[in-house]
Amino acid sequence: MSVEDELLKRVDKSKLPRHVAIIMDGNGRWASYRGLLRSAGHSAGVKTLKKILTVAVNINLEALTVYAFSTENWKRPHSEVDFLLHLFSEYLEKEKREMHEKNVQLRFLGRIEEFSAGIQNQIRDATTLMKNNTGVKFNIAANYGGQDEILRAAQKLASKVSIGKISTRDIDAELFESELDTHGLPPVDLLIRTSGDMRISNFLLWQAAYAELWFTNTQWPEFSPEEFVDALNNFANRDRRFGGLGS
Ligand code: FPP
């Protein structure tokens, strides 16, 4: 049996989360501890992402969402922002065929319209290519902020009220969700953050309302498929009560 098959056998399939979200933190620290440039950490991070997406495909996870670039990341030095944008572009070009062959459905969350026309075209091409796929829903949050997403949804609903398309009383959780970038996706069940910090950092604030949280000190470039399976199996043993008394 291959190492991959051994690993997949370890996954507790009876209680898989439907939607896993990941804050891929620690690329910079991983690089500087090794005397490398931060960009080397981001490049290593892309390799980790590839491996984790493969596990998600192999276990037939319903949805995987990763935080690739926050609305606050523009504050980083120009050279780092440029490098990250270059990585997105390279990643899409290199990976889109394989993702498509694996039946992945790709979606971007966030203010994509603020990226260069070139990147927007690549995003459009890749998502169009995969639009009829039925496998893992793979979402990349880029130029994304949870508060910003909620504000944009509120603005869209307010304009519908102002032109009389809906009334204020129509606004319930379901209608609100339909205006979020994640519309149609299940809520986040498991939120993983690597590299030791224990915070949510403006990621999927609405969607992670009842998410189980899993933190690890491992920096993202070293996060392995084995540790991903550990997180999934840990989730399988959580007692989820959603504010009620539980089972
Ligand atoms: C956090 O590490 C990571 C990011 C801000 C970028 C995440 C990007 C990738 C994993 C690669 C690109 C992604 C795609 C989809 C191609 P950090 O730089 O904040 O690390 P630090 O906290 O140690 O400084």
Side-chain angles (χ1 to χ4, degrees):
M1 195 184 281
S2 73
V3 180
E4 258 184 17
D5 289 343
E6 284 285 353
L7 181 71
L8 296 180
K9 248 182 67 189
R10 269 188 52 217
V11 179
D12 182 345
K13 303 228 176 54
S14 66
K15 256 175 131 184
L16 264 190
R18 290 180 68 192
H19 188 172
V20 178
I22 309 183
I23 301 177
M24 309 181 286
D25 197 14
N27 293 342
R29 274 165 284 177
W30 178 87
S32 39
Y33 291 155
R34 284 163 184 75
L36 302 170
L37 294 173
R38 291 176 60 80
S39 53
H42 296 312
S43 298
V46 175
K47 291 190 184 142
T48 303
L49 178 58
K50 217 186 141 181
K51 289 188 227 162
I52 299 305
L53 178 61
T54 302
V55 177
V57 168
N58 289 340
I59 61 173
N60 211 5
L61 192 71
E62 185 172 338
L64 175 70
T65 303
V66 296
Y67 208 177
F69 192 89
S70 77
T71 44
E72 284 68 43
N73 285 154
W74 296 107
K75 294 182 212 150
R76 295 186 176 205
H78 272 306
S79 56
E80 184 169 346
V81 170
D82 283 351
F83 187 80
L84 279 168
L85 297 179
H86 156 79
L87 268 189
F88 293 158
S89 158
E90 193 181 69
Y91 177 77
L92 286 173
E93 229 28 65
K94 276 196 186 153
E95 301 297 328
K96 70 176 176 195
R97 289 270 143 221
E98 198 179 322
M99 278 193 234
H100 183 44
E101 277 156 24
K102 288 178 172 167
N103 199 20
V104 168
Q105 307 180 60
L106 180 67
R107 187 195 294 198
F108 275 76
L109 315 176
R111 290 179 179 257
I112 298 312
E113 67 282 4
E114 288 172 8
F115 287 126
S116 69
I119 291 191
Q120 287 186 54
N121 282 338
Q122 282 186 304
I123 291 175
R124 206 169 308 122
D125 285 352
T127 48
T128 308
L129 175 70
M130 288 174 244
K131 77 171 192 301
N132 295 322
N133 289 353
T134 55
V136 178
K137 297 178 171 86
F138 177 45
N139 312 295
I140 299 179
N143 198 15
Y144 174 88
Q147 292 181 340
D148 178 68
E149 182 194 28
I150 290 170
L151 285 173
R152 284 187 284 113
Q155 284 166 358
K156 283 184 243 168
L157 289 169
S159 32
K160 285 187 181 171
V161 170
S162 72
I163 58 169
K165 210 168 163 194
I166 57 168
S167 91
T168 311
R169 281 184 308 279
D170 296 331
I171 302 175
D172 57 10
E174 199 185 333
L175 190 63
F176 197 85
E177 263 165 17
S178 72
E179 297 290 0
L180 293 172
D181 297 344
T182 52
H183 56 87
L185 292 173
V188 175
D189 295 308
L190 173 64
L191 174 62
I192 295 173
R193 182 177 187 140
T194 59
S195 202
D197 288 326
M198 295 194 191
R199 51 178 175 259
I200 296 178
S201 299
N202 204 11
F203 192 37
L204 300 172
L205 297 180
W206 174 283
Q207 301 83 343
Y210 284 98
E212 296 295 323
L213 307 179
W214 199 82
F215 298 103
T216 171
N217 287 329
T218 307
Q219 287 141 358
W220 178 250
E222 301 227 306
F223 187 71
S224 62
E226 288 74 15
E227 199 170 358
F228 185 46
V229 169
D230 288 344
L232 296 173
N233 288 345
N234 180 281
F235 171 84
N237 291 314
R238 301 273 180 107
D239 178 22
R240 304 186 81 197
R241 293 191 294 280
F242 298 96
L245 294 177
S247 45

